Amino acid sequence: MQFPKNFLWGGAIAANQAEGAYLSDGKGLSSVDLIPSGSTRRAVMKGDLSHYEPLPELTYPSHDAIDFYHRYKEDIALFAEMGFKALRLSISWARIFPNGDEEQPNEQGLKFYDDVFDELLTYGIEPVVTMAHFDVPVHLVEHYGSWRNRKMVTFFEQYVKTIVSRYHSKVRYWMTFNEINMLFHLPYMGAGLVFVEGENRQQIQYQAAHHQLVASARAVEIAHTINSDLQVGCMLAAAMTYPYTCNPDDVEKAMERDRENFFFIDVQARGAYPGYALRQLKDAGIEIQMEPGDIELLRNHTVDFIGFSYYSSRCISTDPEILNKMTAGNVFPTVKNPYLNQSEWGWTIDPKGLRLTANQLYDRYQLPLFIVENGLGAFDELDGEGNIQDDYRIAYLTDHIRAMYESIQDGVELIGYTSWGCIDLVSASSGEYAKRYGYIYVDRHDDGSGTNRRQKKASFDWYKKVIASNGAFIENQKHIKIK
Ligand code: BG6
């Protein structure tokens, strides 16, 4: 089970879920800094926000996160010990442009990422950078309406020019918007959209999507102009949707569900709005305002690779009774698949789905793929000796790496694999610390207690062996049952 030479093994984190230090060194408030933990979290993520500063009675997990801002050297040393070839991380837009509409960037913010990239490069770890991972400066949300406003394209261009010119000699792999399809599911989290009662949300979401697609194409153009060696990708929350039965109605529904997500990537990778989307927009009476030159821009500046996250497959039915049996799953509504188990958070566990999804994406786009998120969110407990035996995580990852290997044998071009939350961090959907993905445990808890101390889990040494053997170690590994 040897993976291709130069395969980028590593892990992934995001600024808002790891850094903390939410107002340090000139950083402005980010949209995600207003997403509280607790019962109102979901409503805010969907666009129900009435205030533009944190409320004292609420807790906001992004404010402290796991303090990567101050501990990045220790954390990167641990990643290096595991043998990481790549670390996927994001730049916080509000660290660089605190309000988002300034002419000059914040030098302290730029310096922080210079230091982080230098630290990674010292160990030979390739930084893979997401330009926007669920964050927009709050000033742009409050005063411009975020991505519903065309002006965002200009602000984003300025941000992209700044970061790419500064870091192009250190960062070769870039992605524009994390899980761009999240805009349709959690519009505030995905795109900083806040709605008022009575608005046509669908119209606003499609218009915002158009602005992000234009901004993404401009980012590709800017990056290639600054340095033609740069590789710029898109990023999709991917997962194949299975029809619950072979009833053609179920199959049609599954196709439609898949297309809701492919819509974005079809534009970013193929360079044009697909026919099915044009029909859907027409049927729904939605008209997207475009500016002269948009169509050419989208056509001429498509992405170099497809980055995607994969946690679970999805399943859908047209039968109302079956639709009552829904389960969670990275906010994408999905029917409980009777053939598969779920994680402790109700996310379907389906390694074969990764092979199917990778093949589906490659068949459709014929571009290199990069699995930039995958992993098992689970409760981890210290045993009597103070160790964390996360065999269930090893089992999940083993099965998914096997599936990934199968997809390479199928002919899929795969650049790398950066598993999600290589160090425990804050969960995006639930805001919890308790939902852990890491090879490294962080002593930090939902009640605010904890020292932030880092500790290796059993999966730490396991992943080290996987990377050192370029995957071969998995071949002889015994099957472990997931808890
Ligand atoms: C993806 C996001 O949706 O899934 C990450 O890009 C997120 O930011 C990850 O953390 C896992 O989801 P969760 O909700 O378990 O943190």
Side-chain angles (χ1 to χ4, degrees):
M1 263 186 68
Q2 278 286 331
F3 277 70
K5 201 168 159 254
N6 302 328
F7 189 75
L8 292 174
W9 294 100
I13 60 172
N16 76 80
Q17 290 166 264
E19 288 175 6
Y22 81 115
L23 290 180
S24 296
D25 298 331
K27 178 181 170 291
L29 265 185
S30 291
S31 47
V32 74
D33 294 330
L34 297 179
I35 304 183
S37 49
S39 59
T40 54
R41 184 174 180 84
R42 200 40 80 107
V44 174
M45 292 196 289
K46 285 190 165 168
D48 183 6
L49 184 79
S50 51
H51 50 85
Y52 291 96
E53 68 288 321
L55 299 177
E57 64 274 23
L58 296 177
T59 310
Y60 299 89
S62 68
H63 294 191
D64 298 325
I66 56 157
D67 199 27
F68 179 77
Y69 193 76
H70 297 110
R71 292 165 188 259
Y72 69 88
K73 287 194 180 182
E74 182 190 346
D75 295 342
I76 291 172
L78 287 163
F79 300 151
E81 197 183 324
M82 273 187 280
F84 276 24
K85 312 281 183 225
L87 179 73
R88 174 184 175 227
L89 71 173
S90 68
I91 294 179
S92 161
W93 186 350
R95 271 199 206 287
I96 311 301
F97 288 98
N99 283 336
D101 60 357
E102 300 90 337
E103 288 191 355
Q104 292 308 319
N106 170 32
E107 178 54 35
Q108 285 172 293
L110 286 167
K111 164 108 181 28
F112 168 67
Y113 293 106
D114 260 324
D115 294 345
V116 171
F117 299 148
D118 288 343
E119 194 69 15
L120 289 168
L121 295 171
T122 308
Y123 292 104
I125 301 176
E126 178 108 40
V128 176
V129 173
T130 319
M131 295 168 173
H133 190 125
F134 299 155
D135 61 11
V136 175
V138 163
H139 178 82
L140 298 184
V141 177
E142 184 177 4
H143 297 282
Y144 298 90
S146 190
W147 284 101
R148 65 168 72 204
N149 189 331
R150 175 81 194 198
K151 285 193 179 134
M152 288 293 279
V153 176
T154 315
F155 299 139
F156 192 72
E157 281 174 353
Q158 163 82 337
Y159 165 61
V160 172
K161 276 184 200 153
T162 306
I163 56 174
V164 176
S165 4
R166 177 88 168 209
Y167 305 126
H168 70 94
S169 59
K170 302 179 183 180
V171 180
R172 179 157 183 254
Y173 290 98
W174 297 82
M175 276 172 286
T176 53
F177 293 95
N178 178 62
E179 295 188 337
I180 188 165
N181 48 329
M182 197 55 86
L183 192 156
F184 285 161
H185 301 275
L186 296 175
Y188 179 72
M189 187 163 90
L193 297 176
V194 176
F195 301 104
V196 295
E197 190 111 1
E199 279 191 311
N200 181 343
R201 290 185 178 216
Q202 228 194 350
Q203 167 75 46
I204 292 164
Q205 281 171 245
Y206 270 103
Q207 188 62 52
H210 180 69
H211 294 151
Q212 285 201 339
L213 291 167
V214 167
S216 177
R218 273 292 286 144
V220 173
E221 182 179 19
I222 291 165
H224 287 162
T225 308
I226 292 174
N227 182 340
S228 57
D229 279 346
L230 301 185
Q231 295 290 300
V232 189
C234 51
M235 189 336 196
L236 171 76
M240 196 167 177
T241 308
Y242 303 152
Y244 192 80
T245 70
C246 54
N247 178 336
D249 289 345
D250 283 2
V251 178
E252 182 186 44
K253 188 87 191 159
M255 178 184 79
E256 284 168 1
R257 277 290 161 89
D258 272 346
R259 282 178 164 179
E260 278 173 23
N261 301 308
F262 287 143
F263 159 70
F264 292 90
I265 311 303
D266 283 353
V267 179
Q268 289 175 297
R270 294 166 156 178
Y273 276 66
Y276 65 82
L278 297 176
R279 175 185 181 174
Q280 213 182 327
L281 291 169
K282 196 164 158 247
D283 291 352
I286 294 170
E287 224 172 284
I288 295 182
Q289 298 292 318
M290 296 203 190
E291 286 198 356
D294 281 1
I295 287 177
E296 293 73 17
L297 181 81
L298 295 174
R299 189 192 316 127
N300 295 334
H301 301 288
T302 52
V303 289
D304 301 310
F305 68 93
I306 314 280
F308 69 99
S309 59
Y310 175 86
Y311 294 90
S312 315
S313 55
R314 300 167 190 149
C315 183
I316 200 67
S317 165
T318 43
D319 180 337
E321 248 183 62
I322 303 293
L323 284 171
N324 280 333
K325 299 178 202 153
M326 300 298 274
T327 184
N330 206 357
V331 312
F332 295 82
T334 179
V335 167
K336 211 169 191 169
N337 185 325
Y339 299 97
L340 298 169
N341 293 324
Q342 282 87 37
S343 77
E344 290 163 308
W345 271 264
W347 292 24
T348 305
I349 297 175
D350 180 15
K352 189 167 277 183
L354 176 56
R355 178 180 175 190
L356 299 174
T357 301
N359 273 279
Q360 189 190 33
L361 289 171
Y362 193 69
D363 287 350
R364 195 172 179 104
Y365 302 114
Q366 297 285 297
L367 282 175
L369 305 183
F370 198 156
I371 301 174
V372 293
E373 285 185 35
N374 171 241
L376 179 72
F379 289 108
D380 288 330
E381 273 154 31
L382 276 70
D383 66 15
E385 274 138 38
N387 299 319
I388 297 140
Q389 295 298 343
D390 53 343
D391 291 353
Y392 37 91
R393 181 167 295 108
I394 294 174
Y396 176 101
L397 294 168
T398 299
D399 292 347
H400 284 76
I401 292 173
R402 283 204 174 109
M404 179 164 81
Y405 180 76
E406 289 303 322
S407 69
I408 295 172
Q409 302 315 301
D410 295 334
V412 172
E413 266 178 277
L414 210 52
I415 303 173
Y417 176 78
T418 53
S419 62
W420 177 249
C422 45
I423 179 166
D424 290 349
L425 36 64
V426 171
S427 155
S429 59
S430 72
E432 293 164 294
Y433 286 98
K435 191 179 187 190
R436 296 170 182 276
Y437 286 86
Y439 308 108
I440 302 162
Y441 180 85
V442 176
D443 178 35
R444 177 85 201 198
H445 308 281
D446 292 320
D447 61 4
S449 67
T451 59
N452 272 332
R453 185 178 56 84
R454 276 50 173 160
Q455 179 181 337
K456 297 172 194 173
K457 304 181 193 173
S459 54
F460 185 99
D461 285 329
W462 168 83
Y463 198 39
K464 189 176 173 176
K465 288 181 191 146
V466 173
I467 298 176
S469 63
N470 198 20
F473 175 72
I474 298 268
E475 200 170 343
N476 298 320
Q477 201 180 303
K478 279 201 224 96
H479 186 78
I480 312 169
K481 204 172 163 355
I482 298 179
K483 83 169 167 178

